[in-house]
Amino acid sequence: MARYREATWLPITENTTQPRITPTQFILHSAAAPWSPKRLRDFWNEPGVNTESHFGVGYDGEAGQFVDTHVRADANASANNRAISVESASDTENSDPWTPRQVDTLVGIMVWAHRTHGIPAHVCQSDTDPGFGIHRMFRKWSLDGTECPGNARARQFTDTVFPQFLESLEGTPVSAIPAVELANLSYGQTNGDVADLQRALLEKGEKIPAGVTGYYGDQTRAAVASFQRKQGWTGSDADGIPGVETCVRLGLRVV
C-alpha cells in the first residue's frame, strides 16, 4: 500500500475496484468547488460519478487520500494509468490562488510522491514525460481540454509551488536514494535490498548486533519493529515487516 500518512485516509469504492498502476507523473487539479476532503469523498461516492483523484486538499491545508497511489484514479484521461492526481478546494470558477496552507500541503505530497515512487523532480515536457504538472498542461490529460486549475494557480505552480518543492528536497536527487523492492524485504530472505534496509536502520540508531549481513532474520525484524514503534505505529503497522511508508521514513525508495 502507498498512503501518505499526513493525509486522512478516506477510501472510496474505486480503491478496491480499479487496476494497479506504477505512477510516473503527478498532476495538480482544482475542484471548482470550495470543498473539504470529506465533501470530495462524498461527491465521488455518489451514484453516476465516474471520476476521482487520489488526494484532496481543503482551503485550510487539510489533506485526504481517497485511493492508494498504486491504484488508478480516473481524473487525467490518457494519463490515468500512470498519474497521481490531487484535487484542491477552489472557487467555482477556478479563478482563485491556492492558499499558503494549500501550497505547503501540496508540496508535502509532491515530496512524498517523489521519494516514494521515484517521480522525477522536473516539470513534464510532454503528456507522457515522467514528472510533475498541472491538469491543463496537455490536452491529452483531459477529455476535451481544460483550464484547470486556472490562471492564478498555473502561475503559482511555476513561480511558487514547484520551486518550493525543489527546495524541500534538500538537494537529494532521487537517484541517490537506495531503491528496494518490498518483495525482497521479508523474513528469511538474503539479498542486497535487505542489506540496504539494514544500513538504513543502523543509520537511524536501531540495533542489529550482527551488522549488515543481507539476511532478514530475527535481529532485522526486531530493528524494523523498533523503528516502526518510534513512529507511533502499533499493531500490524509495527510488525517488523516494512511497507512503503516504513521504507520512505528510512530514506529508501520503493520500486
Side-chain angles (χ1 to χ4, degrees):
M1 295 183 292
R3 299 180 189 171
Y4 181 51
R5 284 188 174 268
E6 302 303 317
T8 302
W9 179 235
L10 301 169
I12 59 176
T13 302
E14 284 77 5
N15 185 63
T16 58
T17 60
Q18 293 276 59
R20 291 182 62 81
I21 64 170
T22 298
T24 60
Q25 294 179 321
F26 186 103
I27 302 174
L28 295 174
H29 299 245
S30 286
W35 290 347
S36 68
K38 289 182 179 179
R39 178 65 183 89
L40 270 172
R41 185 269 314 275
D42 293 343
F43 172 70
W44 280 323
N45 274 334
E46 291 178 6
V49 176
N50 298 315
T51 59
E52 67 282 329
S53 283
H54 292 93
F55 295 93
V57 178
Y59 274 127
D60 60 359
E62 178 188 5
Q65 183 172 357
F66 316 106
V67 180
D68 188 296
T69 50
H70 276 304
V71 175
R72 192 182 77 190
D74 292 337
N76 306 292
S78 69
N80 286 339
N81 288 327
R82 59 179 177 272
I84 295 172
S85 53
V86 183
E87 294 286 351
S88 51
S90 69
D91 62 28
T92 57
E93 302 299 323
N94 279 341
S95 64
D96 58 342
W98 284 303
T99 67
R101 289 185 177 181
Q102 282 181 307
V103 170
D104 288 344
T105 297
L106 293 173
V107 168
I109 301 173
M110 291 166 69
V111 169
W112 174 84
H114 169 73
R115 290 177 173 164
T116 301
H117 296 291
I119 298 175
H122 72 251
V123 176
C124 298
Q125 300 302 299
S126 73
D127 64 286
T128 59
D129 182 38
F132 292 78
I134 57 174
H135 194 199
R136 77 182 198 180
M137 191 174 286
F138 302 105
R139 188 175 182 85
K140 288 186 177 180
W141 285 358
S142 62
L143 296 177
D144 299 303
T146 181
E147 289 302 308
C148 172
N151 291 333
R153 296 184 182 195
R155 288 191 296 270
Q156 271 185 301
F157 176 76
T158 300
D159 297 341
T160 303
V161 175
F162 198 76
Q164 189 171 318
F165 159 63
L166 294 178
E167 291 176 5
S168 297
L169 296 180
E170 298 178 350
T172 304
V174 70
S175 60
I177 301 173
V180 298
E181 294 184 36
L182 291 182
N184 291 336
L185 302 179
S186 59
Y187 191 84
Q189 295 214 50
T190 301
N191 54 63
D193 286 358
V194 174
D196 284 336
L197 173 68
Q198 292 169 330
R199 291 188 192 95
L201 288 163
L202 291 169
E203 289 174 1
K204 293 292 186 180
E206 300 299 337
K207 296 179 180 179
I208 304 175
V212 178
T213 64
Y215 172 65
Y216 203 118
D218 292 337
Q219 293 181 9
T220 300
R221 183 165 187 168
V224 172
S226 172
F227 177 78
Q228 290 170 328
R229 289 193 297 271
K230 289 175 182 176
Q231 311 310 301
W233 305 340
T234 59
S236 61
D237 289 332
D239 60 1
I241 301 298
V244 171
E245 188 63 22
T246 297
C247 290
V248 169
R249 295 199 183 195
L250 284 168
L252 302 171
R253 178 165 57 93
V254 176
V255 294

